[in-house]
Amino acid sequence: MASKHPPVCQIFSFKDCKTSLDPIFELPAHCLTPTAAPIVIDNGSFQTRAGWAAPAAELDSAPRLIFRSVAARSRGAARSETQIGNDIPNLEPLRWLLKSQFDRNVVVNFEIQELILDYVFTHLGLSSEGSVEHPILMTEAPCNPLHCRQMMSELLFECYRVPFVSYGVDGLYSFYHNNNQRNLQAPHTGIILSSGYHCSHILPVVDGRLDAVNCTRLNVAGSQAASYLQRLLQLKYPGHLAAITLSRMEELLHEHSYTAVDYHQELEKWRCPEFYEREVHRMQLPFSGKVPGGCVSVEERQERRAQQLRRLQEINTRRREEKLQQDQERLDRLLAVQELLEDGLLDQFHKSLMELNMDSAEELQSYINKLQLAVEQGRLKLLQSDGAEGKMEVSELEQPIDEGDGVALMDPDFPEDPLSEKSVNVVQPAFNMAEYHQLFVGTERLRCPEILFQPSLIGEDQMGLMETLQYVLARYTPEQQEALVSNVFLTGGNMQYPGMKERVERELLALRPFQSHFKVTMATRPGLDAWYGARDWALEHPAAAGAEGWISRQDYEEKGCEYLSEHCASNVFVPMKIAKPVPARPAELPVAFQMPTGASAAVATVTSTSAQSSSTDAADINMVAS
């Protein structure tokens, strides 16, 4: 039975939030005494979050700085002209200039990374010109390449001369923080589903340590969902291509999208017109109330033309006055130099000629003559323009205006259209400008988050999140699988869609054996818990020489740039080993082939030497990373 009341339309407006400049905080006194407080930096590919590792009672518990991990600098611009993070109020005009330190989720552009660290230290109240006397705790990608960690350690120890550095994985810090809040007994075992801006990860944790061998990465996350939504809406509304920006698509994802518990069943619901009218979100684009191509009277056209003429005359007059003033100032300067010659001050005269890039007094005199002529002509043009201003305006306004724009002359013998009178009486529908500038976001609300489970929707040839989870679980024994699925943890900014937890529970119910138990937990603050977990870890493990998880400057110099001190939320350190086999002893030649004398012996010696050198070179470049 149909409803008596029509469905209510949901019309939303884009917020188009513009960031405000970050203040430069003063360095808190309790961050210096009794020891220097660590600085916690969650170096994310979407946002950077930075703050002090101080107890919540002493300092605001939230990170002091939260900004986009981008920098905008045009080619050839100075370093000081670079805009970073919240210094860019609107990203769209500068989208083509934006640069990030990340490739996927790995830091590769360390020039941008250095600019972002300068921004963090400056706004936290530190001066990075000499050194930063605070320990640094920074997040890194799961299974971060040794070269990237080596470059990051080199930047922190050599450029900023920090005393201690610690690295950890953002998903593990969030897991550590939420387990402590739930009062779970350590060591923790579980599996983490982390989805960020560029990548998603499945991280198994066994007995409090990351099982790096079975970690997997999916190249589908928030940036792919935003690009997919932009492509869908641009195909749907080709008349609003410029208004469908990436920033607005990210706003749509964060505030208007959701994850369907049953994707195909949810799509069937959208076939119902009543359901569509009730659930569709109409996004209102900004527009002007004037209808383009509307009827304009002859008086309005004349007024517009008069205004344009006056504006052009004012612009030309202003330019002539500026040009005349510049020529007059240059002429006065040259005449002052000529007076030096007349007064006999030859040294000052020649010095002034060199400053003007002139060689002789004759060249000076020719420049003076040209400038005098230009000044006189400029004054005459100004007088003429002032006198002819009124005449030009009147003559332009008296020009006839073609009232039949684009309409051919009618033959008087041609009969009039008998339907013209009827067409006048037909009521034309009013054009609704506001509705024309509305985006109807329907099934797009659930299709874009769905790419996390079905990457084939955007043409990605890889498994979805739950298929990959099944593949990871299959690498463990049944007992270990039970322990892992008893603590399935969801974290990351791309996991904040409504319905995400219910969807994972439904998929796990289909994957797991009959009557098996599992538990899915969502992070308290999926986007910020990584920073809070890193802060809690830093407070519980103070920085000191030889302390677990901290790399001192001595460790950096003795054990290499890529060294990592492991802890409960860190990657597994896999040192790079260089194989140096024992050189083989040269075999003695048989008596029949011995050439003890002459050129043959010399050739044999050279051949043996070259063979040994080539084998030594091959041993030097044989690098094995285990």
Side-chain angles (χ1 to χ4, degrees):
M1 183 176 179
S3 175
K4 296 181 181 180
H5 302 285
V8 180
C9 299
Q10 301 185 67
I11 302 178
F12 303 88
S13 296
F14 285 105
K15 297 179 181 178
D16 290 337
C17 297
K18 295 186 178 180
T19 58
S20 56
L21 296 177
D22 287 323
I24 298 179
F25 297 97
E26 294 183 0
L27 183 62
H30 56 80
C31 291
L32 295 173
T33 56
T35 57
I39 300 174
V40 180
I41 302 175
D42 182 9
N43 196 28
S45 58
F46 181 69
Q47 282 184 334
T48 299
R49 306 167 188 88
W52 298 100
E58 299 181 2
L59 196 66
D60 187 10
S61 59
R64 288 205 159 189
L65 296 175
I66 300 178
F67 57 91
R68 288 289 297 268
S69 300
V70 290
R73 180 174 60 179
S74 57
R75 181 175 296 179
R79 184 187 179 95
S80 59
E81 298 176 3
T82 305
Q83 294 177 290
I84 297 174
N86 292 336
D87 289 346
I88 310 172
N90 188 7
L91 295 179
E92 293 309 321
L94 301 177
R95 179 71 67 178
W96 63 284
L97 284 176
L98 296 182
K99 297 180 179 64
S100 175
Q101 70 269 41
F102 286 92
D103 180 9
R104 295 287 185 179
N105 63 328
V106 178
V107 179
V108 295
N109 192 338
F110 286 90
E111 181 182 1
I112 303 297
Q113 182 65 62
E114 182 180 352
L115 292 174
I116 288 181
L117 289 177
D118 285 342
Y119 183 88
V120 168
F121 295 145
T122 301
H123 285 77
L124 287 180
L126 298 174
S127 175
S128 59
E129 294 180 359
S131 62
V132 176
E133 300 297 335
H134 292 263
I136 303 296
L137 192 151
M138 183 175 288
T139 59
E140 64 178 7
C143 305
N144 193 33
L146 292 181
H147 172 72
C148 298
R149 186 182 302 126
Q150 174 183 351
M151 297 296 292
M152 185 67 75
S153 295
E154 184 176 340
L155 176 64
L156 292 172
F157 281 111
E158 300 294 343
C159 182
Y160 297 102
R161 305 189 65 82
V162 299
F164 297 95
V165 173
S166 179
Y167 298 107
V169 180
D170 51 359
L172 295 178
Y173 279 130
S174 181
F175 184 66
Y176 172 84
H177 175 70
N178 283 269
N179 286 338
N180 287 346
Q181 284 189 333
R182 292 156 54 195
N183 296 323
L184 295 183
Q185 186 178 0
H188 308 127
T189 298
I191 192 161
I192 304 170
L193 306 184
S194 174
S195 183
Y197 189 61
H198 283 122
C199 298
S200 302
H201 293 90
I202 296 179
L203 309 174
V205 179
V206 179
D207 295 332
R209 294 289 178 168
L210 176 68
D211 186 7
V213 177
N214 294 319
C215 291
T216 55
R217 185 183 82 172
L218 283 77
N219 293 326
V220 176
S223 63
Q224 288 80 7
S227 300
Y228 182 45
L229 179 57
Q230 184 183 30
R231 190 162 68 247
L232 288 176
L233 291 182
Q234 284 182 343
L235 289 173
K236 189 175 181 180
Y237 299 99
H240 302 303
L241 294 181
I244 302 174
T245 61
L246 201 57
S247 298
R248 287 175 175 168
M249 297 306 101
E250 291 171 357
E251 180 183 338
L252 275 179
L253 279 178
H254 296 162
E255 300 186 9
H256 300 275
S257 299
Y258 68 97
T259 302
V261 178
D262 189 332
Y263 180 64
H264 297 287
Q265 183 180 356
E266 191 73 16
L267 285 180
E268 287 298 324
K269 291 181 182 179
W270 282 90
R271 291 179 179 272
C272 176
E274 294 182 357
F275 183 88
Y276 179 87
E277 290 295 332
R278 186 174 64 253
E279 297 297 331
V280 68
H281 285 194
R282 302 186 180 191
M283 305 304 300
Q284 184 68 61
L285 294 171
F287 67 97
S288 175
K290 295 183 179 180
V291 180
C295 297
V296 181
S297 62
V298 177
E299 292 78 8
E300 290 180 355
R301 291 186 184 181
Q302 291 179 350
E303 182 63 28
R304 290 182 184 177
R305 182 172 295 181
Q307 291 178 359
Q308 292 177 357
L309 286 174
R310 284 194 295 267
R311 195 177 302 116
L312 288 174
Q313 288 172 358
E314 291 174 0
I315 293 173
N316 290 333
T317 303
R318 192 183 309 116
R319 288 180 178 174
R320 290 194 184 104
E321 290 177 352
E322 292 176 355
K323 180 69 167 56
L324 179 61
Q325 183 179 0
Q326 292 176 0
D327 292 343
Q328 185 64 47
E329 291 176 355
R330 185 168 177 80
L331 178 61
D332 295 341
R333 185 181 177 187
L334 295 181
L335 290 174
V337 174
Q338 192 178 32
E339 289 179 359
L340 294 176
L341 178 62
E342 296 173 355
D343 296 341
L345 303 175
L346 297 180
D347 294 338
Q348 297 182 10
F349 174 74
H350 289 298
K351 184 177 180 181
S352 300
L353 277 184
M354 292 178 62
E355 292 177 356
L356 295 173
N357 198 16
M358 296 183 183
D359 297 331
S360 61
E362 291 78 8
E363 185 177 0
L364 176 63
Q365 185 61 43
S366 66
Y367 270 100
I368 290 175
N369 295 335
K370 291 179 182 178
L371 282 176
Q372 287 176 344
L373 181 61
V375 168
E376 292 177 1
Q377 291 178 352
R379 288 173 179 169
L380 288 175
K381 287 181 180 179
L382 278 178
L383 293 174
Q384 292 174 359
S385 63
D386 292 340
E389 182 177 352
K391 295 180 181 180
M392 290 175 60
E393 184 174 349
V394 171
S395 62
E396 290 290 338
L397 290 176
E398 289 177 351
Q399 290 182 2
I401 298 175
D402 188 8
E403 298 181 4
D405 294 333
V407 180
L409 294 176
M410 301 296 293
D411 189 356
D413 298 331
F414 193 81
E416 295 183 0
D417 188 4
L419 299 178
S420 59
E421 296 181 359
K422 296 181 180 179
S423 61
V424 172
N425 298 327
V426 176
V427 178
Q428 296 292 334
F431 180 74
N432 192 340
M433 182 65 73
E435 188 173 347
Y436 174 74
H437 287 83
Q438 286 178 3
L439 307 180
F440 286 62
V441 185
T443 56
E444 294 86 1
R445 295 175 55 200
L446 65 146
R447 289 171 65 185
C448 295
E450 185 65 22
I451 67 171
L452 194 60
F453 301 93
Q454 300 184 54
S456 59
L457 293 175
I458 58 173
E460 290 286 342
D461 187 15
Q462 55 182 321
M463 294 188 295
L465 184 69
M466 302 311 296
E467 293 175 281
T468 310
L469 176 62
Q470 184 181 14
Y471 169 77
V472 172
L473 290 175
R475 301 171 68 91
Y476 293 94
T477 62
E479 293 78 11
Q480 290 176 324
Q481 291 182 24
E482 289 291 335
L484 289 171
V485 298
S486 64
N487 190 6
V488 179
F489 182 68
L490 310 181
T491 186
N494 199 42
M495 285 289 184
Q496 301 184 76
Y497 301 114
M500 179 63 72
K501 179 182 176 183
E502 292 77 10
R503 175 63 179 272
V504 174
E505 289 175 343
R506 183 182 181 277
E507 297 283 350
L508 270 176
L509 185 63
L511 293 178
R512 299 297 300 152
F514 179 64
Q515 291 185 343
S516 62
H517 299 282
F518 59 86
K519 184 177 182 181
V520 180
T521 307
M522 177 70 74
T524 309
R525 291 157 295 193
L528 289 175
D529 276 356
W531 186 89
Y532 284 106
R535 183 203 63 182
D536 295 346
W537 184 91
L539 291 175
E540 295 176 7
H541 302 79
E548 180 189 11
W550 291 99
I551 307 170
S552 64
R553 186 170 186 84
Q554 183 178 0
D555 295 333
Y556 165 77
E557 294 173 350
E558 293 179 356
K559 300 177 182 179
C561 305
E562 70 279 359
Y563 173 68
L564 172 68
S565 179
E566 296 183 11
H567 56 91
C568 63
S570 72
N571 280 308
V572 178
F573 177 52
V574 182
M576 182 182 293
K577 296 181 180 179
I578 301 177
K580 294 183 179 180
V582 179
R585 297 177 62 184
E588 295 183 0
L589 294 174
V591 178
F593 293 97
Q594 288 182 358
M595 295 175 288
T597 59
S600 301
V603 171
T605 304
V606 172
T607 306
S608 175
T609 306
S610 62
Q612 291 179 5
S613 64
S614 62
S615 64
T616 305
D617 295 341
D620 289 340
I621 65 172
N622 183 18
M623 302 172 65
V624 179
S626 61

